[in-house]
Structure formats: structure tokens, C-alpha cells
Amino acid sequence: KDAAQDDNGGASFVRSLTFRSTDVARMAEIHHGITGLKRDQAKREAEKAQLADIVEQDRLVQVAGQRPQRLGDVFMRPLAEGKRFPAALEIHSNGLRYMAAGRSGGTPVDILFNNIRHLFFQPCDKELLVLIHVNLRNPIILGKKKIQDIQFYREASDAAFDETGNRRRRIRYGDEDEIEAEQEELRRRRQLNKEFEDFATRIVDASNHDVELDKPFRNIAFTGVPARANVLLQPTVECLVHLSDAPFFVLTVADVELVHLERVQFGLKNFDMVFVFRDFKRTPVHVNTVPMKQLDDIKEWLDSVNLAFTEGPVNLNWSQIMKTVNKDPAGFYEDGGWAFLALDSDAEDDGSEEEESEFSMSEDELAESESEGSDDGSVAGTESDESEGDYDDESESGEDWDELEAKAKAYDDKRPRTGDPPVESAPAKRARKR
């Protein structure tokens, strides 16, 4: 429409047309056909836009004269044809090939070494799967879908193994069978881990170390919501990943410029993380509902990977922020760049300090109160001195303790003791006359 207006400035366009007909069924059929055409056209445009960044890969060069190294009986995610069948993963001269072993043979999936950005090995310790995960530089088409991450795994649960021997259970009962079953499961998990890790190491060797093997660190993992569910996010040497369930989450640390921690304030149980990329055209990634008790561990991890981070009390409108940044990136950095995020956190701290200082006294009031306190203390001192002087005068005018004890003893001697016979008084002698 815009191009037609440029060609012919006086052209007129019809916005809508209204038709009336007595044949209602025919008009409904036409309406249904037009709606279908619009839907199909919108679908084709969406697929075209989705496949715009697809880069055509080179051809896979197969190993000649020998059998390729294989990892058998593994499954692939996402599925190529909607059916889940185990197959073998092969190492060739310049890439990997997964040949589906379905009923119809399936289509091989080729992954070249020069298109692998990250290669992860995740053991089945405290997990249900042991897996090798491939993160691609450029997405590929798999079943008419654009795929950025491909995973090859094998289940480590007991349901994946055949345990039909019942003779031993007929003879032995109790805890011995359970202990033996636990030991057998641990041995099986160690064997699976060794098999997958060795194969991943062979992939690195076949690529002449153009691909490096990375492994998640579960001891510094934390929980969060990067998409729809609360999952365990595990840092690696170069990434932050979640590989156990779909949708997969792979965030490359080197692509991140800043991490902002939102809703960091006293009294809240959770906070949010926002990863801002160096490419400002990419939408920032949010990881929500991170437990507040893991805040210190996350800050320590961010320091260890040299990622700058800020924190604030509220959530920000990042779509508007990135729109402003993309409008004039040079002017954005001239005005201070991301310093406004740190200023918000500093302003919050200053506000709390000001609230605490509202109850403090000024210097004049403090001096006045000290002078009043000293006057009150002197008055109280004189009163106490007077009372002490009165007490001393009274004590000097009275009798001492020895005199009081002597009087009490004389008084007791005069009184008869209980239980003693009464003392008869002697008759008075008459005075002699001289």
C-alpha cells in the first residue's frame, strides 16, 4: 500500500466492502475461504520471518575406511518426528550424526563442530537422566521448527532396566535385598556417567578442541523461574543453565553486560534477576522468584565471573529502558549509563538513614539538655547531702550500740524467766534504835 502510494500519489484505496446476498450458504462459504487465505498467508509470513536467520550448514564428512565412534541407545530432545525411538550418536570427521532408528528409518540429524557453541555433560547424580547437551551458534531446522539446543540422553531409573530374576528374592528377604539394589543402582549410575563423559571427551578430541566440554556445578545452584516453572539453575564455567527439562535454559555469561537484582528489600522472601546483554537489541532475560536466602551466594558467583550487578527495591519497565538505550546508545553512556540503577539503591539507603536521624537532637538542644541535667544533678546532690547531714546529727545525739546492749541485758535480768519458781521477797528488817 505504501509503495503504491509512492508510485501514484493520487490513488485511492478502499478500506472495506459490504456484500449482501440471498444465498446465505454461498456467502458463508466465501467468508470461510477468505478467512483461510488470510490465516495461511499469516502463517507463511511467520515461518519466513522465523527462518530468516537460518544459516546453511556445510555437508557432514563421514569417516572413511573405519567404523565411527558410537554412543548407542540414546534418545534425542526435541523429537524430530514426534515418535520416541532410541538411536546411536556417531562422531564423524567434522561433526556428529544422530541416525533415528524408527520404523520408517528416519532422517539423520547432522551437527557440525563449527556450529557448536557449548557442549555440556550433566551426570545422573540426583537426576533421572544422564545427558549430553549441545548449544548451537546458529539454529537448524528440525521437523519444520527452528532449534537452538539439542540434547542426547539416557534414563538412569530402574524402569529402564530389565530385572526379572526372581530366584534370589525367593531365598533372601529383608534389608539385604534393598541394600544390594541400592548398590547396584549406584554402580549403574557410575557406569552411565563414565560412558557419557568419555564419549563427550572424544567429541572434544575429534573437534581438535574447537569445542570445549563444560559441566554444571550443582553445589552453587539456585532456584528460579526463567520461563514457566520453578527450576534448578546451575552455573558452569561459561554459562548459567537448566538442562533437566524442556524448555532448556542456556545463558552465556560473556554475552551479559549487567545483572540487576530487583525487589531486594527487607521483609520479602524472593527477588528477581534481570540479565542485560551487550547487544542492546536483545530482550533482557528475567529470572523471577529467587529465594532471598541465596542472595549472598549469587552475589559471590557474579563476582567470581566478573559480572557487574546492581540492586533495587522495585521492578523496572525494561522495555521502555531498552527503547531509550537503543535510541541513542552513545548519549546514554555520556549521561552516566547504568549508573542510575546504582543511584536508586543508594537513594534507598540514604532515605533509610534520614528516617533514622529524624529522632536525633540538634546541637543546641543537646547542649541545653546537658546543662539542665547538670543543674538537676547539683540540686539532687545538695538534697542528698542535707539528708545525710541530718542523719549524722541524729546518730551523734543518740546512744551507741554498747550502751543499748547493756540496758537490754539489765532489763532481761530484772524479768523472771519462764519456768523458774517465783522468788519470795525477804522480810524487811527493822531499823535499830540507837
Side-chain angles (χ1 to χ4, degrees):
K1 179 179 177 181
D2 296 336
Q5 286 181 348
D6 294 338
D7 296 339
N8 188 1
S12 299
F13 295 89
V14 179
R15 183 177 181 83
S16 63
L17 293 174
T18 302
F19 296 91
R20 293 183 180 181
S21 175
T22 57
D23 191 353
V24 180
R26 176 59 181 167
M27 294 299 292
E29 182 181 355
I30 294 173
H31 178 267
H32 181 71
I34 294 174
T35 305
L37 288 174
K38 292 173 61 178
R39 183 175 60 251
D40 295 341
Q41 179 63 23
K43 184 178 180 180
R44 285 193 295 270
E45 291 179 355
E47 291 178 354
K48 185 178 179 181
Q50 185 179 12
L51 302 179
D53 57 345
I54 297 296
V55 178
E56 185 177 356
Q57 294 190 103
D58 299 332
R59 294 180 61 87
L60 181 71
V61 179
Q62 300 186 24
V63 176
Q66 61 180 352
R67 185 177 179 181
Q69 304 180 64
R70 307 180 66 185
L71 179 64
D73 296 331
V74 295
F75 299 93
M76 184 180 69
R77 293 193 298 187
L79 298 176
E81 299 178 353
K83 295 182 180 180
R84 183 172 176 267
F85 291 105
L89 181 62
E90 301 176 350
I91 301 177
H92 290 275
S93 299
N94 64 337
L96 307 175
R97 167 166 286 186
Y98 180 81
M99 179 63 74
R103 297 173 183 175
S104 59
T107 304
V109 179
D110 296 337
I111 304 173
L112 301 184
F113 291 144
N114 58 9
N115 195 29
I116 297 178
R117 186 177 188 185
H118 300 293
L119 179 67
F120 301 103
F121 160 69
Q122 179 173 294
C124 56
D125 301 335
K126 299 182 181 180
E127 296 285 349
L128 299 177
L129 305 175
V130 56
L131 57 90
I132 294 175
H133 187 95
V134 179
N135 178 254
L136 304 176
R137 298 180 185 274
N138 302 310
I140 62 174
I141 298 298
L142 185 62
K144 297 182 179 180
K145 292 183 179 179
K146 185 172 66 173
I147 302 300
Q148 190 80 35
D149 294 273
I150 301 178
Q151 189 174 105
F152 306 97
Y153 69 95
R154 191 184 297 172
E155 295 179 357
S157 60
D158 294 338
F161 296 89
D162 185 13
E163 297 180 352
T164 57
N166 297 323
R167 180 179 301 178
R168 183 178 298 174
R169 294 187 181 275
R170 292 177 183 176
I171 298 174
R172 300 170 61 185
Y173 297 94
D175 296 337
E176 295 181 358
D177 278 350
E178 295 181 359
I179 295 174
E180 186 175 352
E182 290 179 359
Q183 294 177 352
E184 179 65 21
E185 182 180 359
L186 292 176
R187 184 194 64 79
R188 188 167 54 241
R189 285 177 176 267
R190 286 195 297 267
Q191 182 180 357
L192 284 174
N193 291 338
K194 185 177 184 303
E195 182 181 1
F196 271 68
E197 188 172 9
D198 291 344
F199 190 80
T201 305
R202 290 198 292 269
I203 293 175
V204 174
D205 296 337
S207 67
N208 295 325
H209 293 274
D210 293 336
V211 178
E212 295 295 335
L213 182 62
D214 209 348
K215 185 177 178 181
F217 301 119
R218 193 181 181 90
N219 56 340
I220 56 175
F222 58 92
T223 58
V225 184
R228 298 187 297 267
N230 194 346
V231 298
L232 184 67
L233 300 173
Q234 304 181 70
T236 68
V237 175
E238 299 180 349
C239 301
L240 177 66
V241 300
H242 168 68
L243 309 176
S244 301
D245 303 304
F248 308 123
F249 180 80
V250 178
L251 179 70
T252 306
V253 173
D255 295 343
V256 179
E257 178 174 347
L258 177 75
V259 180
H260 184 63
L261 310 178
E262 299 181 330
R263 297 195 300 124
V264 179
Q265 52 181 311
F266 180 76
L268 295 182
K269 296 182 178 180
N270 302 308
F271 67 96
D272 303 330
M273 301 178 65
V274 181
F275 295 88
V276 182
F277 297 101
R278 298 181 185 275
D279 183 7
F280 293 151
K281 295 182 180 180
R282 294 181 60 181
T283 305
V285 172
H286 294 254
V287 177
N288 301 322
T289 322
V290 182
M292 191 68 71
K293 61 183 180 181
Q294 296 178 321
L295 177 62
D296 295 335
D297 296 335
I298 291 174
K299 288 182 178 180
E300 184 177 355
W301 168 67
L302 293 175
D303 283 334
S304 65
V305 294
N306 296 325
L307 273 181
F309 64 90
T310 57
E311 60 183 49
V314 297
N315 295 102
L316 303 178
N317 187 359
W318 285 98
S319 60
Q320 186 64 34
I321 292 175
M322 299 311 298
K323 188 182 297 183
T324 304
V325 173
N326 287 318
K327 186 180 297 183
D328 186 11
F332 172 74
Y333 279 105
E334 290 177 359
D335 294 339
W338 303 106
F340 72 96
L341 297 176
L343 292 176
D344 291 341
S345 58
D346 294 341
E348 181 191 4
D349 297 338
D350 295 341
S352 60
E353 292 177 359
E354 289 177 359
E355 290 178 359
E356 293 176 358
S357 63
E358 285 180 358
F359 299 96
S360 62
M361 301 175 64
S362 62
E363 295 180 357
D364 298 337
E365 293 177 352
L366 182 61
E368 184 177 355
S369 62
E370 289 178 353
S371 62
E372 291 178 357
S374 60
D375 296 340
D376 295 339
S378 61
V379 173
T382 55
E383 291 178 354
S384 61
D385 294 340
E386 291 176 358
S387 61
E388 289 176 359
D390 297 340
Y391 178 75
D392 293 339
D393 295 339
E394 291 177 358
S395 62
E396 290 176 359
S397 61
E399 300 174 349
D400 58 359
W401 285 105
D402 295 336
E403 294 178 356
L404 292 175
E405 288 181 358
K407 288 183 179 181
K409 186 176 181 181
Y411 180 76
D412 292 337
D413 293 340
K414 291 180 181 180
R415 295 182 60 186
R417 298 179 181 178
T418 57
D420 295 341
V423 179
E424 296 181 357
S425 59
K429 295 181 181 180
R430 296 181 180 178
R432 294 179 182 179
K433 294 182 180 179
R434 291 181 181 179

